[in-house]
Amino acid sequence: MEQVKLYDTTLRDGMGGPGMSLSVDEKLKVVRALDELGVQTIEAGFPSSNPKEAELFERLAEVELQGASIAAFGMTRRRDVAAEDDEALAVLVGCFAPIVCLVGKSWRLHVEKVTRASDEENLAMIADSIAFCRAEGKRPVFDAEHFFDGYRDDPAFALECVRAAAEAGAENVTLCDTNGGSLPEFVAAATAAVVAELGESVEVGIHTHNDGECAVANSLAAVAAGARLVQGTVNGYGERCGNANLASILPALQLKLGFDVVSDEQLASLAQTAHYLDELCNVAPDPSRAYVGRNAFAHKAGMHAAGVAADARTFEHIDPSRVGNAREILVSELSGKATIRNQAEHAGLELDDAAATRAVQRLKEREHRGYHYEAAPASFELLLRREAGSYESLFELESFKVLVEKRADGAVETEATIKVRVDGERYVRVAEGNGPVNALDSALRAAIADRYPHLADIELTNYKVRILDESHGTGAVTRVLLDSSDGEREWGTIGVSENIIEASWEALVDSLEYAFQPR
């Protein structure tokens, strides 16, 4: 199979995204994760831009990678300064990185208004810088900044710029859709023109931004037109609307277009790597992200779920395991008995036809009242257990009471009193808390702690409230979602009521009872 190489720019372009900032240690973790994924080139940034970047390059020099090469980023020489006298170029050729990526102008608008150079000087800046890096033993990559805008404005000049880099010794000439506004048909045509112009003398690459929501499509169009290196960031991190998402491009190249990019084992780690990088970058994973998102292979409608059960190809474009993801059958009012039975089997439960029918009806009734089990699979499992006859109650509620006291000095105190029976024995407990839900949680745990001490390890990790019918104001139905964890597993529960305390109580009890069920 023909090869297409990946060039990751997360540590440069990706850091331009809002809120993105990584320590040197975190950047090293990114490099290792990308290397394990099989990315061929990892751009670590501009070694002379700041002390953090300088330290990163110093430490990277001591890191042994499995197969990736490190690239250092910089710019072509300054106007009216010889390449050998340019301080920034000296830093690039002086660092350990075997590859240097130089960005230069290929749009006359930028040459005239930003660089303020003549056409001849711009071409000389490109050629001199590439030749200097090559002479110093580096493998130069030329990023033709704003290439597609330049080609649209003046094709001859844009082609002159990439030809100057190729003739000076560039290993790769990458065409950049820097403003991110080009469309696939134009990208394909312009890329084909460059491939024809440069022939076999140099590899052509593609670097796209997502301002027109076409970064992935533009990258694939360029590959179809002859590009054999794709620059981008895993998960599409980057300024404005982000860069081309390598987590979508990689499987498309390998599974759809048949190119050799990484090993099958590395491809199967894609979802895990994408989620790991989200965690490192403190970014909430997008559940609807193609290939690697939690919802990428989630089926909700009854017809879809039944189709997947018969033959997964009916509603899945690839086998999710090939990218490290997994199929998920979601439950909702659209679900049929096949979905219910699938969920029961997943939980280790046996449902006969009558129980499955009851569960479907129960589900539809409760979703009509405002429950949303797709977001609370633990509560749904409890519903199934009740229908299957395997539900075990943690306790029997006699009553609970919550008091909130607001004082003149501004202080607020909350106290909850709970009366429950556990295995026939009555417990009355009082607890204070940071709000009514916390107080109820503390009082309930105090009541059952002696009998079930392992439940003390459960922590509530998230608490979300949604008003379902806003027109009713403070009397509206409220949906509460709780996320809980015992340090090894995480699960979600739900409660719905006109009373926010009651809704919270229901979700809280489900959280503890889910952990209590035998497995």
Side-chain angles (χ1 to χ4, degrees):
M1 292 189 295
E2 191 174 1
Q3 186 182 42
V4 172
K5 293 181 287 187
L6 301 181
Y7 182 115
D8 184 89
T9 65
T10 295
L11 297 181
R12 175 175 62 91
D13 282 319
M15 295 302 99
M20 298 288 279
S21 179
L22 295 175
S23 68
V24 172
D25 285 336
E26 289 169 330
K27 289 186 176 186
L28 289 171
K29 291 178 181 178
V30 169
V31 170
R32 291 190 179 95
L34 294 172
D35 178 46
E36 291 174 2
L37 180 62
V39 173
Q40 288 82 7
T41 304
I42 302 170
E43 189 181 278
F46 193 1
S48 66
S49 64
N50 59 66
K52 183 194 290 186
E53 298 289 87
E55 180 187 349
L56 173 62
F57 275 85
E58 289 176 4
R59 294 179 61 180
L60 276 174
E62 307 298 324
V63 175
E64 185 175 343
L65 300 177
Q66 296 178 10
S69 296
I70 298 297
F73 176 79
M75 292 172 281
T76 55
R77 69 167 175 83
R78 289 173 292 157
R79 187 189 61 193
D80 300 327
V81 175
E84 57 270 23
D85 296 329
D86 190 286
E87 294 178 358
L89 283 179
V91 172
L92 285 182
V93 299
C95 78
F96 84 96
I99 300 173
V100 293
C101 179
L102 301 181
V103 62
K105 305 300 183 184
S106 59
W107 185 10
R108 181 172 276 115
L109 175 70
H110 272 253
V111 173
E112 294 175 352
K113 296 195 174 182
V114 178
T115 308
R116 297 183 180 180
S118 65
D119 290 356
E120 293 74 18
E121 177 71 1
N122 184 68
L123 295 172
M125 291 165 64
I126 296 171
D128 293 349
S129 303
I130 295 292
F132 173 69
C133 291
R134 171 68 76 178
E136 294 294 319
K138 298 298 183 181
R139 297 163 50 194
V141 171
F142 177 62
D143 267 18
E145 188 181 34
H146 293 97
F147 175 81
F148 294 98
D149 290 313
Y151 187 83
R152 188 181 292 108
D153 183 53
D154 188 336
F157 178 72
L159 290 174
E160 276 191 89
C161 293
V162 296
R163 190 187 310 115
E167 292 176 351
E171 179 179 292
N172 172 281
V173 171
T174 288
L175 314 177
C176 303
D177 186 29
T178 312
N179 284 351
S182 297
L183 297 179
E185 184 177 5
F186 177 73
V187 168
T191 302
V194 172
V195 171
E197 177 76 17
L198 301 182
E200 300 293 327
S201 64
V202 65
E203 178 184 68
V204 174
I206 182 69
H207 176 118
T208 62
H209 288 247
N210 203 37
D211 299 72
E213 195 63 29
C214 289
V216 170
N218 285 340
S219 298
L220 298 177
V223 169
R228 289 298 177 264
L229 178 142
V230 180
Q231 294 189 12
T233 63
V234 174
N235 297 326
Y237 305 135
E239 63 181 337
R240 304 190 314 273
C241 302
N243 285 53
N245 182 2
L246 292 183
S248 295
I249 292 169
L250 167 55
L253 289 173
Q254 191 147 321
L255 301 180
K256 306 283 189 177
L257 300 179
F259 287 102
D260 177 22
V261 188
V262 301
S263 71
D264 289 341
E265 292 75 19
Q266 288 169 324
L267 181 61
S269 71
L270 179 62
Q272 179 182 357
T273 301
H275 299 162
Y276 174 66
L277 292 181
D278 272 339
E279 181 179 336
L280 273 180
C281 296
N282 197 28
V283 174
D286 180 358
S288 298
R289 191 175 284 148
Y291 293 100
V292 300
R294 187 187 65 204
N295 296 339
F297 301 96
H299 306 281
K300 183 173 181 178
M303 182 180 68
H304 287 214
V308 169
D311 189 326
R313 294 174 299 174
T314 55
F315 289 101
E316 290 179 352
H317 64 115
I318 66 165
D319 178 351
S321 67
R322 299 195 70 181
V323 293
N325 210 334
R327 180 178 305 122
E328 185 175 1
I329 305 299
L330 305 177
V331 293
S332 74
E333 72 278 3
L334 301 176
S335 300
K337 286 193 290 186
T339 301
I340 297 297
R341 282 178 169 159
N342 178 282
Q343 293 285 56
E345 182 180 348
H346 183 72
L349 304 174
E350 292 186 9
L351 284 183
D352 59 24
D353 190 66
T357 299
R358 291 195 306 271
V360 170
Q361 186 60 35
R362 180 79 167 151
L363 170 65
K364 291 181 178 181
E365 291 173 355
R366 291 176 75 81
E367 292 249 338
H368 181 68
R369 289 169 49 196
Y371 289 82
H372 186 55
Y373 286 109
E374 178 183 336
S379 288
F380 183 68
E381 182 179 314
L382 293 176
L383 183 152
L384 292 180
R385 285 183 176 275
R386 290 183 175 94
E387 297 301 334
S390 62
Y391 168 77
E392 294 188 17
S393 177
L394 178 60
F395 63 90
E396 180 184 347
L397 174 67
E398 184 176 311
S399 68
F400 72 75
K401 178 171 60 177
V402 179
L403 298 175
V404 179
E405 182 180 7
K406 170 80 170 178
R407 295 179 177 175
D409 61 1
V412 178
E413 290 188 359
T414 306
E415 180 183 279
T417 302
I418 285 181
K419 301 176 183 179
V420 297
R421 291 187 179 275
V422 182
D423 293 337
E425 188 171 344
R426 188 170 186 264
Y427 293 85
V428 179
R429 294 291 185 269
V430 179
E432 294 181 335
N434 183 20
V437 179
N438 180 242
L440 278 171
D441 184 26
S442 299
L444 178 56
R445 288 172 191 262
I448 62 178
D450 291 343
R451 193 62 59 93
Y452 306 113
H454 67 283
L455 296 181
D457 297 331
I458 297 171
E459 294 185 1
L460 304 183
T461 59
N462 199 2
Y463 175 78
K464 291 179 285 189
V465 176
R466 180 179 174 186
I467 304 303
L468 300 184
D469 47 354
E470 298 177 1
S471 62
H472 287 75
T474 55
V477 172
T478 301
R479 175 194 293 154
V480 170
L481 291 170
L482 287 184
D483 291 329
S484 305
S485 173
D486 60 5
E488 296 181 0
R489 300 175 300 157
E490 292 186 357
W491 59 90
T493 55
I494 190 170
V496 175
S497 173
E498 294 86 354
N499 186 306
I500 189 173
I501 304 301
E502 183 183 8
S504 300
W505 167 261
E506 183 181 2
L508 172 63
V509 171
D510 272 9
S511 172
L512 296 175
E513 293 207 322
Y514 175 80
F516 172 69
Q517 301 305 310
R519 301 185 186 282

